[in-house]
């Protein structure tokens, strides 16, 4: 590979909209860490908390930066300044899940950040109402008919912005999410690919793309940016497509270049070994991960599968109680509790029989 700078300085695609781009190599981990910290902040400001958490965790796995190397926040534009009061108020409402209220105070704002939060608030409001209505529905047939009523309107508005080339990377991501929710898969894939080109460090766009690619042939035809983030994407999607040998090689490469302390990579490797039924290896990695990150819930449902298969009932029971203490209503926790309950009930059944 020809030598090239690993990270291109932050540029602007539109007033106040950073484009964070990196080449495909990992030769400058300090610059990569700077960009991870920056994107963690940008996603957090827009309420994209899972993407922010992923970037922050990855940044944490790299060596700390001295004060002189820490990057200042992106410069504020005139539009940002004009919208600051409305954005600050709306973000406070957004954070306590008052999405309609947040959208009301953001209506008419012109800055990219405020516009994204306005549209995202409307999207999440529709999702929340859909979930509430689903809970109130009587049967499975009725539940399946409940829709997010905001989607079509959001699609029309975002489509106009897209055609006018007025969407930044975050706007493209949201447009892709809306298209996916409307089952417009091909259009959604095209928009997510565009989003990875415009804002390659936003993990959310890559992850959405992963969920839409169903086989290796589809993957081959994607025109993806030449960025080191693509290596994380490929490792993740290889795992999803059960191409475990390729996935493990990618993750080993990422460890070798400096991400050996990443709990995300370690957990993905454990999942990969689980998928190829190397139970002892997966159990060993999960146990080590639990020591390093004892309050982690992600992938603990997979860990519980391994404990169940090995009939490690006391360990499974301990895991269920531990996760219940951390967050009893998380999906992973409910899966582990259910598996533990089934194991215990089956044991009683055999005893009584």
């Amino acid at each position: 590979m020809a030598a090239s700078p690993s990270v291109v300085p932050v540029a602007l695609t539109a007033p106040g909209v950073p484009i964070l781009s990196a080449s495909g190599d990992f030769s400058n981990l300090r610059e990569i860490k700077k960009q991870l910290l920056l994107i963690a902040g940008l996603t957090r400001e827009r309420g994209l908390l899972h993407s922010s958490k992923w970037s922050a965790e990855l940044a944490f796995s790299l060596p700390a930066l001295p004060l002189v190397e820490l990057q200042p926040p992106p410069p504020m534009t005139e539009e940002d300044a004009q919208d600051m009061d409305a954005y600050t108020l709306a973000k406070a409402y957004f954070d306590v899940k008052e999405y309609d209220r947040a959208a009301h105070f953001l209506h008419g704002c012109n800055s990219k950040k405020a516009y994204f939060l306005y549209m995202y608030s409307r999207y999440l409001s529709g999702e929340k109402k859909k979930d509430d209505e689903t809970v109130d529905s009587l049967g499975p047939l009725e539940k399946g008919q409940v829709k997010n009523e905001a989607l079509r309107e959001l699609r029309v508005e975002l489509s106009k912005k897209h055609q006018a080339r007025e969407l930044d990377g975050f706007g493209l991501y949201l447009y892709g999410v809306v298209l996916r929710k409307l089952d417009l898969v091909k259009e959604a894939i095209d928009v997510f690919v565009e989003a990875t080109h415009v804002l390659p460090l936003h993990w959310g766009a890559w992850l959405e793309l992963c969920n839409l690619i169903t086989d290796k042939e589809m993957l081959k035809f994607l025109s993806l940016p030449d960025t080191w983030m693509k290596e994380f994407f490929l490792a993740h999607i290889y795992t999803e497509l059960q191409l475990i040998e390729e996935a493990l090689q990618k993750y080993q490469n990422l460890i070798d270049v400096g991400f050996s302390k990443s709990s995300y990579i370690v957990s993905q490797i454990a999942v990969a070994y689980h998928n190829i039924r190397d139970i002892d290896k997966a159990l060993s990695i999960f146990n080590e991960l639990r020591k390093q990150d004892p309050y982690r819930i992600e992938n603990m449902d997979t860990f519980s599968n391994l404990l169940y298969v090995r009939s490690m009932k006391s360990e499974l029971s301990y895991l269920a109680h531990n996760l219940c203490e951390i967050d009893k209503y998380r999906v992973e926790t409910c899966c582990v509790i259910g598996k533990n309950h089934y194991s215990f009930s089956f044991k009683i059944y055999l005893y009584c029989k």
Side-chain angles (χ1 to χ4, degrees), residues 129-139 143-144 146-147:
K129 289 168 185 172
K130 181 192 75 173
D131 292 343
D132 292 344
E133 194 174 335
T134 300
V135 170
D136 295 337
S137 299
L138 297 176
K143 289 180 188 292
V146 179
K147 305 293 183 186

Side-chain angles (χ1 to χ4, degrees), residues 229-243:
M229 279 289 288
K230 184 169 74 170
E231 297 304 302
F232 282 89
F233 165 76
L234 290 174
H236 189 97
I237 199 165
Y238 285 157
T239 306
E240 293 296 306
L241 297 177
Q242 301 301 315
L243 301 169

Side-chain angles (χ1 to χ4, degrees), residues 155-224:
R155 182 199 172 192
V156 170
E157 294 181 39
L158 289 167
S159 177
K160 289 177 181 175
K161 289 273 189 181
H162 185 231
Q163 290 171 12
R165 304 183 65 81
E166 293 177 358
L167 292 178
D168 62 3
F170 293 114
L172 288 167
Y173 161 77
L174 182 56
Y175 185 32
V177 170
V178 169
L179 291 171
R180 176 179 62 79
K181 287 282 187 175
L182 290 169
D183 295 322
L184 300 169
V185 175
K186 183 181 182 305
E187 293 91 332
I189 290 174
D190 290 341
V191 171
F192 284 131
V193 168
E194 186 180 351
T196 63
H197 280 272
V198 174
L199 193 61
L201 282 177
H202 179 208
W203 178 241
W206 292 99
L207 202 55
E208 286 286 348
L209 201 51
C210 275
N211 295 332
L212 297 177
I213 304 304
T214 56
D215 56 56
K216 200 170 184 179
E217 284 303 306
M218 286 182 71
L219 183 60
K220 272 199 237 174
F221 289 103
L222 293 182
S223 176
L224 299 171

